[in-house]
Amino acid sequence: MTIDDVVFRRARDSDAAPMADVWLRSFATALPDVRRVHDDDAVRQWFRHVVVPQGEAWVAEAAGEVLGLLVLQGSELEQLYLDPRRRGRGLGDRFVDLAKQQRPQGLELWTFQCNGPARRFYERHGFVATERTDGRRNEEREPDVRYVWPAPASPPVPA
């Protein structure tokens, strides 16, 4: 598979289960030390009843297989997850480009402070850290960081 074989499209109801599976595999691989608050069935229900029907959800697909997902909600980049076997092939770059096209006025997102690869990825794409928390506001109780694109006029928060 090459990046040219991948189709980026809006998610359909039938994509909910494979999207949830990608999310579960990606979370387990990227964040093995972060406590998951919801079990696999709850994650699948969330994708089926909330993420796909209520959000602006996109998938990357090749040969009928969902390889990654992007979810936008207002100016928030809510979810960007790739199948761990498909990382490093440009899918994430294409998803960020898509998100910027869909939200040219700007984007914001949260990621866990411990997720160094995600932080470097977003910084490489022009996102700037603007806030850090101790994790009290997220379900996992994990310190997180807010990123904004385009960069705000005020200086970024030090690392």
Side-chain angles (χ1 to χ4, degrees):
M1 178 208 79
T2 69
I3 194 71
D4 295 329
D5 300 324
V6 179
V7 174
F8 290 78
R9 62 168 175 78
R10 287 293 296 267
R12 300 184 284 258
D13 290 344
S14 60
D15 295 317
M19 289 171 71
D21 290 341
V22 166
W23 189 97
L24 290 164
R25 284 192 302 274
S26 183
F27 194 98
T29 300
L31 301 165
D33 297 327
V34 173
R35 178 179 68 93
R36 271 200 28 229
V37 180
H38 304 284
D39 66 19
D40 292 4
D41 288 338
V43 170
R44 289 185 178 97
Q45 291 293 326
W46 176 60
F47 271 89
R48 183 177 307 115
H49 297 293
V50 178
V51 174
V52 174
Q54 296 178 20
E56 182 181 337
W58 297 79
V59 295
E61 175 189 62
E65 179 186 2
V66 172
L67 311 175
L69 63 106
L70 167 74
V71 179
L72 301 171
Q73 187 75 18
S75 65
E76 193 87 13
L77 193 161
E78 289 280 337
Q79 309 285 327
L80 196 170
Y81 285 88
L82 305 176
D83 186 303
R85 299 168 296 166
R86 307 300 184 170
R87 288 184 60 194
R89 299 182 188 194
L91 297 174
D93 298 332
R94 295 262 310 267
F95 269 135
V96 168
D97 291 344
L98 173 62
K100 288 178 177 180
Q101 290 169 6
Q102 296 298 312
R103 302 295 190 274
Q105 70 281 5
L107 290 162
E108 53 193 72
L109 63 91
W110 289 92
T111 192
F112 296 123
Q113 290 183 30
C114 66
N115 194 347
R119 293 178 62 193
R120 287 187 296 278
F121 172 80
Y122 290 119
E123 290 167 5
R124 193 173 74 244
H125 284 280
F127 286 80
V128 175
T130 60
E131 180 182 1
R132 286 180 174 69
T133 78
D134 60 7
R136 279 187 267 180
R137 293 186 292 186
N138 64 56
E139 291 180 308
E140 295 81 4
R141 302 294 183 245
E142 186 71 32
D144 54 6
V145 56
R146 179 177 181 256
Y147 280 95
V148 175
W149 172 89
S154 59
V157 175

